[in-house]
Amino acid sequence: MKKLLQNLTFLVIIGISAISFSQQDFQGKAYYMSKTTMDLDQWGGREMSPEQKKRIEERMKSFLEKEYILTFNKEESIYKEDEKLEAPGSGRGWGGFASSFTGGPKYKNVKSKELLQDQEFFGKQFLIKDELKSLEWKMGTETKQIGQYTCFKATATKTVDEFDWRSMRRRSDNNRKEGEKKNDSIKKDDDPMNEIEVPKTIEVVAWYTPQVPINQGPDDYWGLPGLILEINADRTTILCTKIIMNPEEKEAIEKPEKGDEVTKAQYNDIITKKMQEMREMYGGRRGDRGRRN
């Protein structure tokens, strides 16, 4: 009986919302807050004082906590960071390094299945062009309220990109190969990148509202019968804080065009080669210092 009432509620919301969104030129804006947690203890934080941890967390905050705006219509969307002026010194160290892996504006077209992303990597501009891939969502009956919107739960398993910094973590001893365990101290000295791993898949929980019946969502998430208002993926939460429907001044949803055009696979190859160069450079410098000592 409870499930039947939930299904009826869903159908009523869909019906009412479809009438409201029947106009062809409607546009909306959804404002999101993204937060990624990081366990400093995994990266040597156990040896830090509480004051040191606090200073590092403050420096990382501007990188781990960001705000985005999703501008959308029935078929297209553009997801951009709502950039703010950073305080001096923020985002340095790991934050400054990892910022090379974060993307610029992301364009999605759910009709043509087109995905475009403006991406800068070590001072060079790229335009990543690929097919918009969908997740196999499992629809749930659980609901919750986000602001004035009734949201339904959906879950999926997502394959993680090997350079997705949000899921990077320090490799545990249990996940090392036998050869790596035997030469653990050598590995750490020669190449710190060997200490980083990314899980192959993560579980994603989405909350979407049929009150905004469009097939869109933040970042590269989409494919549900309503705007996705919240995403929980590994250590990252993306939450919608405000929605503006049919703003007085409509904003053109323009495709990113600048940069060398590459597929995601080609772009990852470029990163791999660059990382190998850095490893060789880093190893060479350590070798020189060892000979001088």
Side-chain angles (χ1 to χ4, degrees), residues 200-232:
K200 290 188 178 352
T201 61
I202 57 173
E203 296 303 310
V204 178
V205 176
W207 294 91
Y208 67 95
T209 177
Q211 289 172 258
V212 187
I214 63 161
N215 196 2
Q216 291 282 1
D219 202 6
D220 53 356
Y221 296 100
W222 68 288
L224 290 167
L227 179 64
I228 299 173
L229 298 192
E230 183 177 338
I231 286 288
N232 295 290

PDB file of all heavy atoms in Angstrom, residues 200-232:
ATOM      1  N   LYS A 200      38.448   1.371  -8.663  1.00  0.00           N
ATOM      2  CA  LYS A 200      37.930   1.169 -10.019  1.00  0.00           C
ATOM      3  C   LYS A 200      36.476   1.633 -10.135  1.00  0.00           C
ATOM      4  O   LYS A 200      36.076   2.183 -11.161  1.00  0.00           O
ATOM      5  CB  LYS A 200      38.042  -0.309 -10.408  1.00  0.00           C
ATOM      6  CG  LYS A 200      39.476  -0.798 -10.620  1.00  0.00           C
ATOM      7  CD  LYS A 200      39.490  -2.190 -11.180  1.00  0.00           C
ATOM      8  CE  LYS A 200      40.861  -2.759 -11.465  1.00  0.00           C
ATOM      9  NZ  LYS A 200      41.994  -1.909 -11.350  1.00  0.00           N
ATOM     10  N   THR A 201      35.684   1.405  -9.100  1.00  0.00           N
ATOM     11  CA  THR A 201      34.277   1.815  -9.121  1.00  0.00           C
ATOM     12  C   THR A 201      33.897   2.407  -7.772  1.00  0.00           C
ATOM     13  O   THR A 201      34.528   2.117  -6.747  1.00  0.00           O
ATOM     14  CB  THR A 201      33.330   0.626  -9.432  1.00  0.00           C
ATOM     15  OG1 THR A 201      33.474  -0.367  -8.405  1.00  0.00           O
ATOM     16  CG2 THR A 201      33.631   0.025 -10.788  1.00  0.00           C
ATOM     17  N   ILE A 202      32.851   3.234  -7.786  1.00  0.00           N
ATOM     18  CA  ILE A 202      32.289   3.775  -6.554  1.00  0.00           C
ATOM     19  C   ILE A 202      30.772   3.695  -6.636  1.00  0.00           C
ATOM     20  O   ILE A 202      30.195   3.617  -7.723  1.00  0.00           O
ATOM     21  CB  ILE A 202      32.704   5.246  -6.317  1.00  0.00           C
ATOM     22  CG1 ILE A 202      32.286   6.122  -7.511  1.00  0.00           C
ATOM     23  CG2 ILE A 202      34.186   5.365  -6.041  1.00  0.00           C
ATOM     24  CD1 ILE A 202      32.506   7.600  -7.288  1.00  0.00           C
ATOM     25  N   GLU A 203      30.128   3.702  -5.474  1.00  0.00           N
ATOM     26  CA  GLU A 203      28.672   3.707  -5.418  1.00  0.00           C
ATOM     27  C   GLU A 203      28.177   5.153  -5.371  1.00  0.00           C
ATOM     28  O   GLU A 203      28.719   5.977  -4.634  1.00  0.00           O
ATOM     29  CB  GLU A 203      28.176   2.945  -4.182  1.00  0.00           C
ATOM     30  CG  GLU A 203      28.526   1.462  -4.195  1.00  0.00           C
ATOM     31  CD  GLU A 203      27.989   0.752  -5.422  1.00  0.00           C
ATOM     32  OE1 GLU A 203      26.780   0.916  -5.720  1.00  0.00           O
ATOM     33  OE2 GLU A 203      28.761   0.054  -6.100  1.00  0.00           O
ATOM     34  N   VAL A 204      27.169   5.439  -6.176  1.00  0.00           N
ATOM     35  CA  VAL A 204      26.611   6.792  -6.269  1.00  0.00           C
ATOM     36  C   VAL A 204      25.161   6.775  -5.811  1.00  0.00           C
ATOM     37  O   VAL A 204      24.381   5.907  -6.219  1.00  0.00           O
ATOM     38  CB  VAL A 204      26.687   7.325  -7.715  1.00  0.00           C
ATOM     39  CG1 VAL A 204      26.058   8.713  -7.807  1.00  0.00           C
ATOM     40  CG2 VAL A 204      28.128   7.361  -8.205  1.00  0.00           C
ATOM     41  N   VAL A 205      24.811   7.724  -4.957  1.00  0.00           N
ATOM     42  CA  VAL A 205      23.421   7.917  -4.542  1.00  0.00           C
ATOM     43  C   VAL A 205      22.970   9.282  -5.048  1.00  0.00           C
ATOM     44  O   VAL A 205      23.625  10.299  -4.788  1.00  0.00           O
ATOM     45  CB  VAL A 205      23.257   7.844  -3.011  1.00  0.00           C
ATOM     46  CG1 VAL A 205      21.814   8.150  -2.611  1.00  0.00           C
ATOM     47  CG2 VAL A 205      23.673   6.480  -2.491  1.00  0.00           C
ATOM     48  N   ALA A 206      21.879   9.303  -5.800  1.00  0.00           N
ATOM     49  CA  ALA A 206      21.348  10.550  -6.347  1.00  0.00           C
ATOM     50  C   ALA A 206      19.943  10.796  -5.806  1.00  0.00           C
ATOM     51  O   ALA A 206      19.174   9.865  -5.573  1.00  0.00           O
ATOM     52  CB  ALA A 206      21.311  10.483  -7.874  1.00  0.00           C
ATOM     53  N   TRP A 207      19.634  12.075  -5.632  1.00  0.00           N
ATOM     54  CA  TRP A 207      18.283  12.493  -5.256  1.00  0.00           C
ATOM     55  C   TRP A 207      17.793  13.459  -6.321  1.00  0.00           C
ATOM     56  O   TRP A 207      18.404  14.504  -6.545  1.00  0.00           O
ATOM     57  CB  TRP A 207      18.290  13.159  -3.881  1.00  0.00           C
ATOM     58  CG  TRP A 207      18.656  12.222  -2.771  1.00  0.00           C
ATOM     59  CD1 TRP A 207      19.894  11.978  -2.274  1.00  0.00           C
ATOM     60  CD2 TRP A 207      17.757  11.374  -2.041  1.00  0.00           C
ATOM     61  NE1 TRP A 207      19.837  11.033  -1.275  1.00  0.00           N
ATOM     62  CE2 TRP A 207      18.539  10.653  -1.102  1.00  0.00           C
ATOM     63  CE3 TRP A 207      16.375  11.162  -2.070  1.00  0.00           C
ATOM     64  CZ2 TRP A 207      17.984   9.735  -0.217  1.00  0.00           C
ATOM     65  CZ3 TRP A 207      15.826  10.244  -1.189  1.00  0.00           C
ATOM     66  CH2 TRP A 207      16.616   9.548  -0.271  1.00  0.00           C
ATOM     67  N   TYR A 208      16.711  13.089  -6.997  1.00  0.00           N
ATOM     68  CA  TYR A 208      16.207  13.893  -8.116  1.00  0.00           C
ATOM     69  C   TYR A 208      14.754  14.276  -7.853  1.00  0.00           C
ATOM     70  O   TYR A 208      14.029  13.606  -7.106  1.00  0.00           O
ATOM     71  CB  TYR A 208      16.315  13.114  -9.429  1.00  0.00           C
ATOM     72  CG  TYR A 208      15.400  11.911  -9.497  1.00  0.00           C
ATOM     73  CD1 TYR A 208      14.140  11.991 -10.102  1.00  0.00           C
ATOM     74  CD2 TYR A 208      15.766  10.690  -8.934  1.00  0.00           C
ATOM     75  CE1 TYR A 208      13.285  10.889 -10.154  1.00  0.00           C
ATOM     76  CE2 TYR A 208      14.922   9.588  -8.968  1.00  0.00           C
ATOM     77  CZ  TYR A 208      13.688   9.700  -9.567  1.00  0.00           C
ATOM     78  OH  TYR A 208      12.839   8.621  -9.593  1.00  0.00           O
ATOM     79  N   THR A 209      14.345  15.368  -8.479  1.00  0.00           N
ATOM     80  CA  THR A 209      12.972  15.829  -8.293  1.00  0.00           C
ATOM     81  C   THR A 209      12.213  15.861  -9.615  1.00  0.00           C
ATOM     82  O   THR A 209      12.628  16.552 -10.560  1.00  0.00           O
ATOM     83  CB  THR A 209      12.918  17.216  -7.634  1.00  0.00           C
ATOM     84  OG1 THR A 209      11.544  17.632  -7.541  1.00  0.00           O
ATOM     85  CG2 THR A 209      13.711  18.263  -8.418  1.00  0.00           C
ATOM     86  N   PRO A 210      11.099  15.142  -9.722  1.00  0.00           N
ATOM     87  CA  PRO A 210      10.267  15.225 -10.928  1.00  0.00           C
ATOM     88  C   PRO A 210       9.530  16.546 -11.031  1.00  0.00           C
ATOM     89  O   PRO A 210       8.877  16.815 -12.041  1.00  0.00           O
ATOM     90  CB  PRO A 210       9.295  14.047 -10.757  1.00  0.00           C
ATOM     91  CG  PRO A 210       9.279  13.764  -9.307  1.00  0.00           C
ATOM     92  CD  PRO A 210      10.626  14.122  -8.787  1.00  0.00           C
ATOM     93  N   GLN A 211       9.625  17.392 -10.017  1.00  0.00           N
ATOM     94  CA  GLN A 211       9.022  18.724 -10.093  1.00  0.00           C
ATOM     95  C   GLN A 211       9.756  19.606 -11.102  1.00  0.00           C
ATOM     96  O   GLN A 211       9.224  20.622 -11.549  1.00  0.00           O
ATOM     97  CB  GLN A 211       9.015  19.385  -8.710  1.00  0.00           C
ATOM     98  CG  GLN A 211       8.035  18.760  -7.725  1.00  0.00           C
ATOM     99  CD  GLN A 211       8.198  19.321  -6.327  1.00  0.00           C
ATOM    100  OE1 GLN A 211       8.781  18.695  -5.455  1.00  0.00           O
ATOM    101  NE2 GLN A 211       7.696  20.523  -6.107  1.00  0.00           N
ATOM    102  N   VAL A 212      10.980  19.235 -11.417  1.00  0.00           N
ATOM    103  CA  VAL A 212      11.725  19.881 -12.513  1.00  0.00           C
ATOM    104  C   VAL A 212      12.044  18.765 -13.497  1.00  0.00           C
ATOM    105  O   VAL A 212      13.128  18.180 -13.468  1.00  0.00           O
ATOM    106  CB  VAL A 212      13.010  20.569 -11.997  1.00  0.00           C
ATOM    107  CG1 VAL A 212      13.670  21.368 -13.138  1.00  0.00           C
ATOM    108  CG2 VAL A 212      12.715  21.484 -10.826  1.00  0.00           C
ATOM    109  N   PRO A 213      11.101  18.440 -14.383  1.00  0.00           N
ATOM    110  CA  PRO A 213      11.209  17.224 -15.217  1.00  0.00           C
ATOM    111  C   PRO A 213      12.155  17.375 -16.401  1.00  0.00           C
ATOM    112  O   PRO A 213      11.751  17.346 -17.559  1.00  0.00           O
ATOM    113  CB  PRO A 213       9.774  17.003 -15.674  1.00  0.00           C
ATOM    114  CG  PRO A 213       9.201  18.378 -15.752  1.00  0.00           C
ATOM    115  CD  PRO A 213       9.839  19.157 -14.627  1.00  0.00           C
ATOM    116  N   ILE A 214      13.434  17.522 -16.090  1.00  0.00           N
ATOM    117  CA  ILE A 214      14.451  17.540 -17.138  1.00  0.00           C
ATOM    118  C   ILE A 214      15.491  16.475 -16.819  1.00  0.00           C
ATOM    119  O   ILE A 214      15.685  16.099 -15.670  1.00  0.00           O
ATOM    120  CB  ILE A 214      15.120  18.923 -17.283  1.00  0.00           C
ATOM    121  CG1 ILE A 214      15.861  19.274 -15.975  1.00  0.00           C
ATOM    122  CG2 ILE A 214      14.134  19.992 -17.667  1.00  0.00           C
ATOM    123  CD1 ILE A 214      16.887  20.346 -16.162  1.00  0.00           C
ATOM    124  N   ASN A 215      16.164  16.016 -17.865  1.00  0.00           N
ATOM    125  CA  ASN A 215      17.100  14.900 -17.763  1.00  0.00           C
ATOM    126  C   ASN A 215      18.515  15.425 -17.522  1.00  0.00           C
ATOM    127  O   ASN A 215      19.430  15.147 -18.295  1.00  0.00           O
ATOM    128  CB  ASN A 215      17.012  14.117 -19.080  1.00  0.00           C
ATOM    129  CG  ASN A 215      17.628  12.745 -18.975  1.00  0.00           C
ATOM    130  OD1 ASN A 215      18.091  12.344 -17.931  1.00  0.00           O
ATOM    131  ND2 ASN A 215      17.644  12.026 -20.079  1.00  0.00           N
ATOM    132  N   GLN A 216      18.693  16.220 -16.456  1.00  0.00           N
ATOM    133  CA  GLN A 216      19.976  16.874 -16.234  1.00  0.00           C
ATOM    134  C   GLN A 216      20.398  16.751 -14.778  1.00  0.00           C
ATOM    135  O   GLN A 216      19.628  16.323 -13.919  1.00  0.00           O
ATOM    136  CB  GLN A 216      19.883  18.365 -16.612  1.00  0.00           C
ATOM    137  CG  GLN A 216      19.720  18.633 -18.097  1.00  0.00           C
ATOM    138  CD  GLN A 216      21.027  18.491 -18.876  1.00  0.00           C
ATOM    139  OE1 GLN A 216      22.089  18.162 -18.330  1.00  0.00           O
ATOM    140  NE2 GLN A 216      20.958  18.726 -20.175  1.00  0.00           N
ATOM    141  N   GLY A 217      21.648  17.156 -14.502  1.00  0.00           N
ATOM    142  CA  GLY A 217      22.175  17.130 -13.153  1.00  0.00           C
ATOM    143  C   GLY A 217      23.548  17.769 -13.116  1.00  0.00           C
ATOM    144  O   GLY A 217      24.094  18.173 -14.147  1.00  0.00           O
ATOM    145  N   PRO A 218      24.152  17.866 -11.933  1.00  0.00           N
ATOM    146  CA  PRO A 218      25.471  18.500 -11.809  1.00  0.00           C
ATOM    147  C   PRO A 218      26.578  17.619 -12.368  1.00  0.00           C
ATOM    148  O   PRO A 218      26.413  16.409 -12.519  1.00  0.00           O
ATOM    149  CB  PRO A 218      25.614  18.667 -10.289  1.00  0.00           C
ATOM    150  CG  PRO A 218      24.814  17.531  -9.723  1.00  0.00           C
ATOM    151  CD  PRO A 218      23.635  17.380 -10.646  1.00  0.00           C
ATOM    152  N   ASP A 219      27.708  18.273 -12.666  1.00  0.00           N
ATOM    153  CA  ASP A 219      28.902  17.570 -13.146  1.00  0.00           C
ATOM    154  C   ASP A 219      28.535  16.727 -14.371  1.00  0.00           C
ATOM    155  O   ASP A 219      27.889  17.205 -15.289  1.00  0.00           O
ATOM    156  CB  ASP A 219      29.491  16.735 -12.020  1.00  0.00           C
ATOM    157  CG  ASP A 219      30.967  16.410 -12.225  1.00  0.00           C
ATOM    158  OD1 ASP A 219      31.558  16.925 -13.184  1.00  0.00           O
ATOM    159  OD2 ASP A 219      31.530  15.637 -11.443  1.00  0.00           O
ATOM    160  N   ASP A 220      28.916  15.427 -14.389  1.00  0.00           N
ATOM    161  CA  ASP A 220      28.562  14.597 -15.537  1.00  0.00           C
ATOM    162  C   ASP A 220      27.387  13.673 -15.230  1.00  0.00           C
ATOM    163  O   ASP A 220      27.168  12.687 -15.929  1.00  0.00           O
ATOM    164  CB  ASP A 220      29.770  13.787 -16.027  1.00  0.00           C
ATOM    165  CG  ASP A 220      30.426  12.987 -14.909  1.00  0.00           C
ATOM    166  OD1 ASP A 220      29.998  13.124 -13.755  1.00  0.00           O
ATOM    167  OD2 ASP A 220      31.369  12.227 -15.201  1.00  0.00           O
ATOM    168  N   TYR A 221      26.612  13.999 -14.207  1.00  0.00           N
ATOM    169  CA  TYR A 221      25.471  13.172 -13.831  1.00  0.00           C
ATOM    170  C   TYR A 221      24.213  13.624 -14.573  1.00  0.00           C
ATOM    171  O   TYR A 221      23.945  14.821 -14.712  1.00  0.00           O
ATOM    172  CB  TYR A 221      25.238  13.233 -12.319  1.00  0.00           C
ATOM    173  CG  TYR A 221      26.382  12.654 -11.532  1.00  0.00           C
ATOM    174  CD1 TYR A 221      27.337  13.476 -10.938  1.00  0.00           C
ATOM    175  CD2 TYR A 221      26.531  11.276 -11.405  1.00  0.00           C
ATOM    176  CE1 TYR A 221      28.407  12.940 -10.228  1.00  0.00           C
ATOM    177  CE2 TYR A 221      27.604  10.725 -10.695  1.00  0.00           C
ATOM    178  CZ  TYR A 221      28.531  11.568 -10.121  1.00  0.00           C
ATOM    179  OH  TYR A 221      29.587  11.030  -9.435  1.00  0.00           O
ATOM    180  N   TRP A 222      23.432  12.649 -15.012  1.00  0.00           N
ATOM    181  CA  TRP A 222      22.187  12.909 -15.737  1.00  0.00           C
ATOM    182  C   TRP A 222      21.451  11.577 -15.850  1.00  0.00           C
ATOM    183  O   TRP A 222      21.857  10.572 -15.298  1.00  0.00           O
ATOM    184  CB  TRP A 222      22.490  13.474 -17.142  1.00  0.00           C
ATOM    185  CG  TRP A 222      23.129  12.470 -18.060  1.00  0.00           C
ATOM    186  CD1 TRP A 222      24.406  11.989 -17.986  1.00  0.00           C
ATOM    187  CD2 TRP A 222      22.511  11.788 -19.147  1.00  0.00           C
ATOM    188  NE1 TRP A 222      24.633  11.055 -18.957  1.00  0.00           N
ATOM    189  CE2 TRP A 222      23.484  10.913 -19.697  1.00  0.00           C
ATOM    190  CE3 TRP A 222      21.241  11.828 -19.734  1.00  0.00           C
ATOM    191  CZ2 TRP A 222      23.210  10.094 -20.796  1.00  0.00           C
ATOM    192  CZ3 TRP A 222      20.985  11.010 -20.822  1.00  0.00           C
ATOM    193  CH2 TRP A 222      21.960  10.167 -21.345  1.00  0.00           C
ATOM    194  N   GLY A 223      20.327  11.555 -16.580  1.00  0.00           N
ATOM    195  CA  GLY A 223      19.678  10.286 -16.912  1.00  0.00           C
ATOM    196  C   GLY A 223      18.543   9.876 -16.006  1.00  0.00           C
ATOM    197  O   GLY A 223      18.121   8.718 -16.041  1.00  0.00           O
ATOM    198  N   LEU A 224      18.016  10.808 -15.192  1.00  0.00           N
ATOM    199  CA  LEU A 224      16.884  10.504 -14.319  1.00  0.00           C
ATOM    200  C   LEU A 224      15.679  11.365 -14.712  1.00  0.00           C
ATOM    201  O   LEU A 224      15.850  12.430 -15.312  1.00  0.00           O
ATOM    202  CB  LEU A 224      17.266  10.747 -12.852  1.00  0.00           C
ATOM    203  CG  LEU A 224      18.263   9.735 -12.283  1.00  0.00           C
ATOM    204  CD1 LEU A 224      18.832  10.218 -10.952  1.00  0.00           C
ATOM    205  CD2 LEU A 224      17.614   8.367 -12.122  1.00  0.00           C
ATOM    206  N   PRO A 225      14.475  10.936 -14.385  1.00  0.00           N
ATOM    207  CA  PRO A 225      13.275  11.692 -14.796  1.00  0.00           C
ATOM    208  C   PRO A 225      13.021  12.910 -13.915  1.00  0.00           C
ATOM    209  O   PRO A 225      11.936  13.081 -13.350  1.00  0.00           O
ATOM    210  CB  PRO A 225      12.160  10.649 -14.653  1.00  0.00           C
ATOM    211  CG  PRO A 225      12.617   9.744 -13.574  1.00  0.00           C
ATOM    212  CD  PRO A 225      14.110   9.645 -13.744  1.00  0.00           C
ATOM    213  N   GLY A 226      14.029  13.739 -13.798  1.00  0.00           N
ATOM    214  CA  GLY A 226      13.928  14.941 -12.994  1.00  0.00           C
ATOM    215  C   GLY A 226      15.314  15.471 -12.688  1.00  0.00           C
ATOM    216  O   GLY A 226      16.312  14.735 -12.730  1.00  0.00           O
ATOM    217  N   LEU A 227      15.390  16.754 -12.398  1.00  0.00           N
ATOM    218  CA  LEU A 227      16.671  17.388 -12.103  1.00  0.00           C
ATOM    219  C   LEU A 227      17.288  16.773 -10.846  1.00  0.00           C
ATOM    220  O   LEU A 227      16.627  16.630  -9.819  1.00  0.00           O
ATOM    221  CB  LEU A 227      16.464  18.891 -11.896  1.00  0.00           C
ATOM    222  CG  LEU A 227      17.703  19.715 -11.544  1.00  0.00           C
ATOM    223  CD1 LEU A 227      18.712  19.695 -12.681  1.00  0.00           C
ATOM    224  CD2 LEU A 227      17.298  21.144 -11.188  1.00  0.00           C
ATOM    225  N   ILE A 228      18.564  16.404 -10.927  1.00  0.00           N
ATOM    226  CA  ILE A 228      19.275  15.836  -9.783  1.00  0.00           C
ATOM    227  C   ILE A 228      19.681  16.975  -8.852  1.00  0.00           C
ATOM    228  O   ILE A 228      20.418  17.883  -9.244  1.00  0.00           O
ATOM    229  CB  ILE A 228      20.504  15.045 -10.237  1.00  0.00           C
ATOM    230  CG1 ILE A 228      20.092  13.885 -11.151  1.00  0.00           C
ATOM    231  CG2 ILE A 228      21.273  14.512  -9.031  1.00  0.00           C
ATOM    232  CD1 ILE A 228      21.261  13.158 -11.788  1.00  0.00           C
ATOM    233  N   LEU A 229      19.211  16.906  -7.603  1.00  0.00           N
ATOM    234  CA  LEU A 229      19.505  17.966  -6.641  1.00  0.00           C
ATOM    235  C   LEU A 229      20.626  17.595  -5.673  1.00  0.00           C
ATOM    236  O   LEU A 229      21.222  18.470  -5.053  1.00  0.00           O
ATOM    237  CB  LEU A 229      18.253  18.317  -5.829  1.00  0.00           C
ATOM    238  CG  LEU A 229      17.054  18.867  -6.613  1.00  0.00           C
ATOM    239  CD1 LEU A 229      16.017  19.429  -5.656  1.00  0.00           C
ATOM    240  CD2 LEU A 229      17.483  19.938  -7.610  1.00  0.00           C
ATOM    241  N   GLU A 230      20.902  16.315  -5.540  1.00  0.00           N
ATOM    242  CA  GLU A 230      21.979  15.909  -4.631  1.00  0.00           C
ATOM    243  C   GLU A 230      22.664  14.651  -5.154  1.00  0.00           C
ATOM    244  O   GLU A 230      22.009  13.741  -5.652  1.00  0.00           O
ATOM    245  CB  GLU A 230      21.435  15.641  -3.219  1.00  0.00           C
ATOM    246  CG  GLU A 230      22.518  15.280  -2.208  1.00  0.00           C
ATOM    247  CD  GLU A 230      21.970  15.084  -0.805  1.00  0.00           C
ATOM    248  OE1 GLU A 230      20.877  15.614  -0.497  1.00  0.00           O
ATOM    249  OE2 GLU A 230      22.635  14.391   0.001  1.00  0.00           O
ATOM    250  N   ILE A 231      23.985  14.651  -5.034  1.00  0.00           N
ATOM    251  CA  ILE A 231      24.815  13.490  -5.398  1.00  0.00           C
ATOM    252  C   ILE A 231      25.732  13.170  -4.227  1.00  0.00           C
ATOM    253  O   ILE A 231      26.385  14.060  -3.673  1.00  0.00           O
ATOM    254  CB  ILE A 231      25.665  13.792  -6.652  1.00  0.00           C
ATOM    255  CG1 ILE A 231      24.815  13.793  -7.922  1.00  0.00           C
ATOM    256  CG2 ILE A 231      26.796  12.782  -6.800  1.00  0.00           C
ATOM    257  CD1 ILE A 231      24.331  12.432  -8.378  1.00  0.00           C
ATOM    258  N   ASN A 232      25.786  11.899  -3.861  1.00  0.00           N
ATOM    259  CA  ASN A 232      26.764  11.411  -2.884  1.00  0.00           C
ATOM    260  C   ASN A 232      27.591  10.336  -3.586  1.00  0.00           C
ATOM    261  O   ASN A 232      27.070   9.264  -3.904  1.00  0.00           O
ATOM    262  CB  ASN A 232      26.065  10.830  -1.659  1.00  0.00           C
ATOM    263  CG  ASN A 232      25.289  11.892  -0.898  1.00  0.00           C
ATOM    264  OD1 ASN A 232      25.871  12.764  -0.272  1.00  0.00           O
ATOM    265  ND2 ASN A 232      23.971  11.840  -0.968  1.00  0.00           N
TER     266      ASN A 232
END
